[in-house]
Amino acid sequence: MSVWPAWEVREDGGATAWFQVRLVFPDGARVDALAVVSEDGVCLEDVRAQPALSLDDLGALADWIEQPLFEACGRTPEAEADAEAGAARRARPAWPRGIEGRWLIAQEYRAAQEDGVDPVLAVMCATGHSRRKSLRLISQARDAGFLTPRHARR
C-alpha cells in the first residue's frame, strides 16, 4: 500500500489531512482513494477501483487503510478507537432479521418499482449487501408473501 499526503488544513487547534492511497493486489486489482484523516478518524472522499469493489469490501476499505494513514501523518487513533478495533464496525445500522427484515425489503422493492428505478439496486443500497445477497433477501420476502411471485406458474 502506498500513502502520500495531498494537502492539510489547520483550524481551531486541530488539523485535517488529505492523503492519496493506492492499494495494488497480486492479481492486478487496484484501489485508488482520497482519504481524510482528522481527530474523529478516517473518512473516504473518493474511491476508484479496478475491478469494482463489492459493497462489503467498500465498507471494509476504511478499516484496511486506517492504521497506515495514521502512521503516515504521525498520529494515533484515540483510545476509544483502539477499544473499538476488535469489534466489527458498520457504516450503517444492522438490517433487521426475520419477518421484519423481509417486510422492509418488500417496502424498499415496491417503492423503487413505483419510482421507476431498479428495485434490486434499491435493496442493495438500503441493506448494503451485494447483489447476490439482496436477490436472496428479495426471494425470502416473496416466500413470506410480501411480494408477488416472480413468475406465474401454469
Side-chain angles (χ1 to χ4, degrees), residues 90 92-105 108 126-127 129 133 137 140:
R90 296 177 63 103
R92 65 196 138 29
W95 192 262
R97 294 178 183 253
I99 201 76
E100 180 186 0
R102 291 179 186 124
W103 184 80
L104 289 171
I105 293 291
E108 289 289 335
T127 63
H129 291 301
K133 175 71 174 178
L137 293 171
Q140 291 171 356

Side-chain angles (χ1 to χ4, degrees), residues 56 95 97 105 120 123-124 127-140:
D56 291 334
W95 192 262
R97 294 178 183 253
I105 293 291
V120 177
V123 170
M124 289 171 62
T127 63
H129 291 301
S130 67
R131 183 170 185 82
R132 175 179 281 170
K133 175 71 174 178
S134 295
L135 287 168
R136 191 174 313 128
L137 293 171
I138 292 166
S139 175
Q140 291 171 356

Side-chain angles (χ1 to χ4, degrees), residues 109-119:
Y109 189 93
R110 282 195 298 266
Q113 280 183 322
E114 290 172 8
D115 292 341
V117 297
D118 181 6

Side-chain angles (χ1 to χ4, degrees), residues 1-144:
M1 179 166 85
S2 303
V3 177
W4 60 95
W7 64 90
E8 184 173 355
V9 175
R10 294 188 181 274
E11 183 177 50
D12 297 328
T16 302
W18 282 259
F19 289 87
Q20 295 287 337
V21 179
R22 176 170 288 160
L23 287 94
V24 179
F25 297 93
D27 64 356
R30 190 173 92 188
V31 178
D32 291 310
L34 179 63
V36 181
V37 179
S38 66
E39 301 297 328
D40 298 330
V42 174
C43 296
L44 296 174
E45 287 202 353
D46 186 38
V47 176
R48 295 178 187 191
Q50 187 64 31
L53 294 173
S54 70
L55 290 175
D56 291 334
D57 289 342
L58 186 59
L61 181 61
D63 291 335
W64 294 345
I65 65 174
E66 182 178 44
Q67 190 61 34
L69 280 171
F70 275 114
E71 290 172 4
C73 64
R75 298 184 194 171
T76 58
E78 295 177 353
E80 297 137 27
D82 287 341
E84 290 179 10
R89 289 183 273 174
R90 296 177 63 103
R92 65 196 138 29
W95 192 262
R97 294 178 183 253
I99 201 76
E100 180 186 0
R102 291 179 186 124
W103 184 80
L104 289 171
I105 293 291
Q107 296 299 319
E108 289 289 335
Y109 189 93
R110 282 195 298 266
Q113 280 183 322
E114 290 172 8
D115 292 341
V117 297
D118 181 6
V120 177
L121 184 59
V123 170
M124 289 171 62
C125 291
T127 63
H129 291 301
S130 67
R131 183 170 185 82
R132 175 179 281 170
K133 175 71 174 178
S134 295
L135 287 168
R136 191 174 313 128
L137 293 171
I138 292 166
S139 175
Q140 291 171 356
R142 285 186 199 290
D143 292 345

